[in-house]
C-alpha cells in the first residue's frame, strides 16, 4: 500500500523508518535547521493508510484507496480540513478559507486575501446597501 | 520593542510515526506550569525577609489545547488512544509569523475531557504533560 504526501510535513528523523530517511529534507527556520518530508513523499503500509485518513496524503494505488474507504467527497473535505489545520486557520474562518476568500493571516492578524476576496467584499457591500 | 506574535496561524502537532501532524479545529492552546523550583529558608537569626533558594530543579510545563471534537477525525482518534497507552510522544508547538518558530516537547502524560452544551459544538480539552527540557 502506498500514499503520497499532499503537503510538506515536519518530521523526526530519529523515528523515521529506513525507507523514508532518504526523503527527509532540511529547511532553515529562523536560523535553526528543521527536518521535514516534502510534498510528494511516498509512504508505505499502515502509515500510508493513516495519513490518508488524516488528510495529509492521497492514495497512490487501489489497495490503499480501498483500505482508506472514504468516498471522494469525504476524502476531499478531510484533506481540506487538514490543510487548514496545518496553516493554523481558526475554526471561525474555515468557511472563508474553503470558499477561497482568504488563504491565511497577515503578520498583523488580518485575513490574507484569496482568489475570491474581491467577490466576497462586493457581496458584503451589497448586503450593507440592501 | 518586543514583537507581538499573533495566535492565528499557530499550531500544535503531536508526532505520529515520525510525522508531526497538526491537530485540526484547534481553538486555543496554553503552555503552563513551567517553573524553576525553590525551597523556603526561615532561620531564627534572619532579618525580616525569609529566603527562597533554588533547589536545582525546574518543573516542565503542561501543554493544553482546546478544539472542536470530531469523533471520526483520525488525529482526534489518535489523541484519544494516547490516554490509554501513555506512549511517550513528541509534540511540536509552532508559533506563526512571517517566519515560524517551533519548540518540541517530549510528552509522557495525556488527559482530556469532552463537553457538549445546547446550542454549541462538541468540544474537547486535552493536556500533554511534558517531561524534561523542551528543544
Amino acid at each position: 500500500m502506498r500514499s503520497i504526501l499532499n503537503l510538506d510535513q515536519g518530521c523526526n528523523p530519529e523515528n523515521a523508518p529506513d525507507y523514508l530517511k532518504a526523503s527527509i529534507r532540511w529547511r532553515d527556520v529562523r536560523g535553526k535547521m528543521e527536518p521535514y518530508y516534502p510534498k510528494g513523499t511516498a509512504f508505505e503500509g499502515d502509515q500510508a493508510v493513516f495519513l490518508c485518513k488524516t488528510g495529509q496524503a492521497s492514495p497512490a494505488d487501489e489497495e490503499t484507496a480501498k483500505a482508506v474507504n472514504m468516498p471522494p467527497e469525504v476524502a476531499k473535505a478531510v484533506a481540506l480540513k487538514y490543510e487548514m489545520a496545518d496553516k493554523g486557520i481558526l475554526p471561525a474562518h474555515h468557511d472563508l478559507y474553503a470558499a477561497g476568500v482568504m488563504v491565511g493571516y497577515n503578520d498583523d492578524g488580518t485575513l490574507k486575501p484569496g482568489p475570491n476576496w474581491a467577490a466576497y467584499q462586493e457581496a458584503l457591500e451589497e448586503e450593507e446597501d440592501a | 520593542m518586543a514583537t507581538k506574535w499573533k495566535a492565528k496561524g499557530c499550531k500544535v502537532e503531536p508526532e505520529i510515526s515520525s510525522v508531526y501532524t497538526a491537530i485540526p479545529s484547534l481553538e486555543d492552546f496554553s503552555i503552563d506550569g513551567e517553573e524553576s523550583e525553590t525551597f523556603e529558608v526561615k532561620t531564627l537569626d534572619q532579618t525580616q525577609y525569609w529566603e527562597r533558594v533554588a533547589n536545582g530543579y525546574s518543573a516542565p510545563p503542561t501543554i493544553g489545547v482546546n478544539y472542536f471534537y470530531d469523533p471520526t477525525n483520525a488525529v482526534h482518534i489518535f489523541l484519544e488512544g494516547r490516554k490509554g497507552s501513555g506512549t511517550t510522544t513528541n509534540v511540536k508547538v509552532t508559533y506563526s509569523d512571517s517566519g515560524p518558530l517551533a519548540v518540541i516537547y517530549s510528552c509522557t502524560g495525556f488527559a482530556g475531557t469532552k463537553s457538549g452544551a445546547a446550542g454549541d459544538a462538541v468540544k474537547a480539552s486535552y493536556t500533554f504533560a511534558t517531561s524534561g527540557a523542551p528543544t
Side-chain angles (χ1 to χ4, degrees):
Chain A
M1 292 189 287
R2 285 175 85 237
S3 67
I4 306 296
L5 210 53
N6 296 332
L7 65 179
D8 294 350
Q9 291 288 266
C11 73
N12 181 0
E14 283 180 20
N15 293 335
D18 289 341
Y19 79 91
L20 280 174
K21 288 191 191 297
S23 301
I24 296 171
R25 299 288 177 265
W26 295 78
R27 55 191 166 193
D28 188 333
V29 179
R30 289 186 177 264
K32 182 180 165 189
M33 296 307 290
E34 287 196 355
Y36 70 103
Y37 294 123
K39 176 181 174 179
T41 299
F43 287 79
E44 297 172 5
D46 290 342
Q47 189 176 18
V49 175
F50 179 79
L51 289 169
C52 292
K53 290 186 175 181
T54 61
Q56 292 164 283
S58 300
D61 54 39
E62 280 296 317
E63 188 188 359
T64 308
K66 199 172 171 187
V68 172
N69 193 27
M70 280 199 293
E73 63 277 9
V74 172
K76 197 175 167 187
V78 168
L80 176 62
K81 186 163 191 177
Y82 187 80
E83 185 182 315
M84 292 190 285
D86 192 68
K87 288 186 175 181
I89 305 297
L90 295 175
H93 296 140
H94 279 186
D95 287 345
L96 292 178
Y97 185 92
V101 172
M102 54 96 71
V103 294
Y105 301 104
N106 294 312
D107 287 350
D108 60 0
T110 53
L111 305 185
K112 192 177 278 185
N116 297 329
W117 176 261
Y120 175 69
Q121 295 303 315
E122 266 180 50
L124 281 180
E125 280 167 24
E126 281 171 18
E127 205 176 289
E128 280 171 19
D129 293 343
Chain B
M1 188 176 75
T3 303
K4 298 173 186 59
W5 286 49
K6 61 186 187 299
K8 293 175 187 175
C10 294
K11 51 186 177 175
V12 177
E13 303 170 278
E15 180 194 335
I16 306 177
S17 300
S18 82
V19 182
Y20 283 107
T21 303
I23 299 174
S25 301
L26 189 69
E27 271 198 300
D28 56 65
F29 71 94
S30 63
I31 300 171
D32 198 19
E34 187 172 10
E35 62 173 328
S36 59
E37 295 183 342
T38 59
F39 59 89
E40 295 175 8
V41 173
K42 295 178 184 175
T43 60
L44 295 178
D45 61 347
Q46 249 170 354
T47 54
Q48 180 71 19
Y49 287 91
W50 51 268
E51 297 173 6
R52 281 199 186 92
V53 180
N55 68 6
Y57 293 98
S58 289
T62 297
I63 301 170
V65 292
N66 292 305
Y67 52 92
F68 289 97
Y69 178 62
D70 177 355
T72 67
N73 182 273
V75 184
H76 293 180
I77 291 170
F78 170 83
L79 292 176
E80 292 299 301
R82 269 297 173 266
K83 286 188 261 181
S85 75
T87 306
T88 300
T89 303
N90 289 323
V91 174
K92 183 157 90 168
V93 176
T94 301
Y95 299 94
S96 173
D97 200 65
S98 51
L101 177 70
V103 182
I104 296 173
Y105 300 84
S106 174
C107 300
T108 52
F110 311 89
T113 58
K114 292 181 278 294
S115 63
D120 201 359
V122 176
K123 294 184 182 180
S125 288
Y126 198 94
T127 55
F128 302 91
T130 74
S131 178
T135 55

